[in-house]
Amino acid sequence: MTRAVFALVVGALTATAAAQEPPPDPAAARALFEEANGATAAGRFADARDLYRRSLALQANPATAFNLAVALTRTGEFVEAVRRFDALLEGSLGALSRTQRREVRHLRAEAEDSVATLRLRLPPIDGLEVRVDGQRREGVARLDPGEHIVAVTSPRHRPLEVEVALERGESRDLRPTLQLRPALTRGRLVVEAPEGGHLTLAGAGEAMGRLDLELEAGAYELTLVADGRSRQREVVVEAGTTSRYEVRLAPQRRWWLWAIGGVLVAGAVTTAIVLTRTEQPPREDPVYGTITALRFY
């Protein structure tokens, strides 16, 4: 906007403000307003912005609010400028003429076109919090063009900080990738065989009757050697928690006979080792929590 247009609108809005009730400190507000106008004329928009804010705090004046909004567009603070223009259009600072409203709408549209948009595409993680430049945000963040710091935190993940540089009017998606905290990439596995037997967890460890290991989360092959036989089952270690399994041996099945071509042949189901999960659901232990039962056949 040229200086001539700026001065013309200021004068018109000042006349409207004169009909309002006397402010608490009109003299100080007016002095700051005039000083801010001088800073604006000299191109010192950051100084003008601060002076207009101080004046507006002393007197709710549409002329001051308008000039503040214009100064904000000069300092690149378009998000706040849009809010200031909206307040003027809502009439919260005083009535505007048709010409004034047209000018405010025009400048608001220009400021809105300069606002950048950052769409936060976040994973479904409990306790996830996102802050942009220190302010908590969700969904879509309307930002001024320039550099911004996006901080993402979660109780179970490493903090993530991303620097984002946005152009005027730019719209961008941000999809942060979080990593589990080191302690939460591992879990504890406890396997107990009350009836005895040698337990081996592939690539991790072995013990008689009881395994208690801290491991990376994932699936592992468990081998039980008991009564002269070896059986395998898969167990799963969950990150950040203790996975408990209890091993039970199914009763031995009896030998049986069948006839092939008139010849009796003896056999037993134990000649082929088949491992199946027990039909019994996990049980809750008052001390150890959920215990999954494994039955070896």
Side-chain angles (χ1 to χ4, degrees), residues 58 85 145 181 290:
L58 296 175
F85 286 131
R181 294 180 184 273
T290 302

Side-chain angles (χ1 to χ4, degrees), residues 68-260:
L68 171 57
V70 173
L72 288 166
T73 64
R74 299 300 192 272
T75 58
E77 298 167 87
F78 298 102
V79 175
E80 184 181 349
V82 169
R83 290 201 302 267
R84 298 288 183 177
F85 286 131
D86 284 341
L88 284 165
L89 292 172
E90 291 166 2
S92 58
L93 297 171
L96 303 180
S97 69
R98 182 179 300 178
T99 301
Q100 292 165 354
R101 293 182 66 83
R102 186 185 305 115
E103 180 67 16
V104 171
R105 282 196 295 266
H106 172 72
L107 293 175
R108 185 205 181 281
E110 288 185 346
E112 180 64 34
D113 288 342
S114 296
V115 173
T117 302
L118 186 64
R119 290 184 295 272
L120 304 170
R121 308 299 190 186
L122 305 175
I125 297 175
D126 291 339
L128 189 70
E129 181 177 286
V130 180
R131 291 184 179 272
V132 181
D133 300 330
Q135 295 185 352
R136 189 167 182 174
R137 300 280 189 162
E138 294 181 2
V140 179
R142 289 166 48 83
L143 303 169
D144 294 322
E147 295 184 351
H148 300 274
I149 300 297
V150 181
V152 186
T153 58
S154 161
R156 293 172 57 87
H157 297 79
R158 290 178 173 176
L160 176 67
E161 190 170 280
V162 181
E163 185 174 302
V164 179
L166 299 172
E167 301 293 332
R168 283 193 177 194
E170 181 180 358
S171 182
R172 186 187 304 182
D173 288 354
L174 180 64
R175 303 177 186 273
T177 301
L178 299 179
Q179 295 181 343
L180 285 171
R181 294 180 184 273
L184 295 180
T185 62
R186 300 173 66 84
R188 183 184 174 199
L189 175 68
V190 177
V191 182
E192 294 180 305
E195 300 172 8
H198 187 270
L199 298 167
T200 302
L201 198 67
E206 57 182 290
M208 289 296 297
R210 188 176 191 273
L211 274 174
D212 190 339
L213 301 169
E214 184 179 330
L215 304 164
E216 290 293 323
Y220 293 83
E221 183 181 79
L222 174 68
T223 300
L224 170 68
V225 178
D227 60 20
R229 293 188 302 149
S230 176
R231 302 97 159 163
Q232 287 78 36
R233 287 293 301 272
E234 182 182 271
V235 293
V236 177
V237 178
E238 296 185 4
T241 187
T242 298
S243 303
R244 296 181 179 274
Y245 290 86
E246 188 176 89
V247 174
R248 295 288 183 180
L249 293 176
Q252 292 281 350
R253 297 185 182 180
R254 294 183 179 180
W255 289 80
W256 47 274
L257 301 174
W258 79 93
I260 299 179

